[in-house]
Amino acid sequence: MKLSTAFISALDYLEGEKTSNIRHEYLGGQIFAMSGGSEEHNRITLNIASLLNFRLRGSGCKTFMSDMKVNMPMAQNTADIFYYPDVMVTCDRQDTEKYYKTRPCLIIEVLSPSTQSLDRREKRLNYQTLPSLQEYILVSQTEMKVEVYRRNAAGIWSLEILEADDILELNSVGLTLTIAEIYDEVLI
């Protein structure tokens, strides 16, 4: 016996998310419920988003937290993907959709034990297809460790790993954050 997988359209997904009590990510017609995060996950996300929001005020860049989706096409526009990044920044004035963004320059995910392999593989590869994305950052919630994936001028992605005494340079938005600021009241 074969089990059938139900697929829904991106439009039906977006309409459903407006009234849903829980968030879902969307991958080519299938939806996946998202679990809640730990206190550490929440604090780190809030620290980063607050710092970015404050420092980017008046710059034309907008900072979003985990309730704003990012949309990207998959398989040459045959389907869509919608993820909820923990923190996202868009500086493109044409990125005007109300319920999702399509042109982020910076995406940050705080790693959870249950989703870290998804963030490192599937999401990283999908996010890196966005022409606007310049940096993809993964932040551990169990140790002071930040993984920085950065696209260079030739379009090649590199990885830099930062630890406790390092400084995170966010070239995409022209800011720096200390690792201590990211982990304030979490691991310090």
Side-chain angles (χ1 to χ4, degrees), residues 130-149:
L130 290 165
S132 62
L133 189 67
Q134 298 170 39
E135 292 168 313
Y136 177 54
I137 314 293
L138 297 174
V139 180
S140 171
Q141 65 175 302
T142 58
E143 62 180 321
M144 294 178 100
K145 181 178 176 184
V146 176
E147 300 169 34
V148 181
Y149 292 89

Side-chain angles (χ1 to χ4, degrees), residues 31-55:
I31 60 172
F32 302 91
M34 297 181 63
S35 62
S38 67
E39 178 179 338
E40 293 83 4
H41 186 282
N42 190 275
R43 294 292 313 160
I44 292 167
T45 301
L46 182 60
N47 287 345
I48 294 167
S50 297
L51 290 163
L52 290 173
N53 191 54
F54 178 74
R55 294 179 185 172

Side-chain angles (χ1 to χ4, degrees), residues 13-174:
Y13 160 75
L14 290 170
E15 283 302 311
E17 282 299 281
K18 290 178 186 176
T19 59
S20 177
N21 292 331
I22 59 171
R23 295 177 301 145
H24 300 85
E25 292 187 323
Y26 179 89
L27 186 60
Q30 297 182 56
I31 60 172
F32 302 91
M34 297 181 63
S35 62
S38 67
E39 178 179 338
E40 293 83 4
H41 186 282
N42 190 275
R43 294 292 313 160
I44 292 167
T45 301
L46 182 60
N47 287 345
I48 294 167
S50 297
L51 290 163
L52 290 173
N53 191 54
F54 178 74
R55 294 179 185 172
L56 291 172
R57 186 168 285 134
S59 71
C61 296
K62 295 180 181 178
T63 304
F64 299 94
M65 285 186 58
S66 55
D67 284 338
M68 179 59 73
K69 294 176 281 299
V70 64
N71 171 235
M72 67 209 78
M74 70 181 239
Q76 298 180 4
N77 297 321
T78 60
D80 282 310
I81 297 174
F82 290 90
Y83 292 133
Y84 283 96
D86 291 318
V87 179
M88 168 175 54
V89 175
T90 181
C91 299
D92 190 321
R93 294 189 192 280
Q94 296 178 350
D95 206 355
T96 59
E97 290 291 337
K98 185 174 182 176
Y99 296 104
Y100 60 88
K101 299 300 168 194
T102 59
R103 299 172 181 177
C105 58
L106 171 64
I107 292 177
I108 301 172
E109 295 282 9
V110 178
L111 298 173
S112 298
S114 62
T115 62
Q116 65 183 343
S117 61
L118 181 72
D119 290 335
R120 282 197 173 98
R121 289 190 315 241
E122 176 190 309
K123 285 187 178 183
R124 179 179 59 84
L125 293 173
N126 286 329
Y127 285 147
Q128 288 175 340
T129 67
L130 290 165
S132 62
L133 189 67
Q134 298 170 39
E135 292 168 313
Y136 177 54
I137 314 293
L138 297 174
V139 180
S140 171
Q141 65 175 302
T142 58
E143 62 180 321
M144 294 178 100
K145 181 178 176 184
V146 176
E147 300 169 34
V148 181
Y149 292 89
R150 184 173 288 124
R151 186 189 323 243
N152 67 19
I156 306 298
W157 288 88
S158 63
L159 171 63
E160 177 183 14
I161 297 178
L162 305 175
E163 295 176 343
D165 295 325
D166 293 326
I167 293 175
L168 172 58
E169 294 182 29
L170 297 172
N171 299 339
S172 59
V173 292

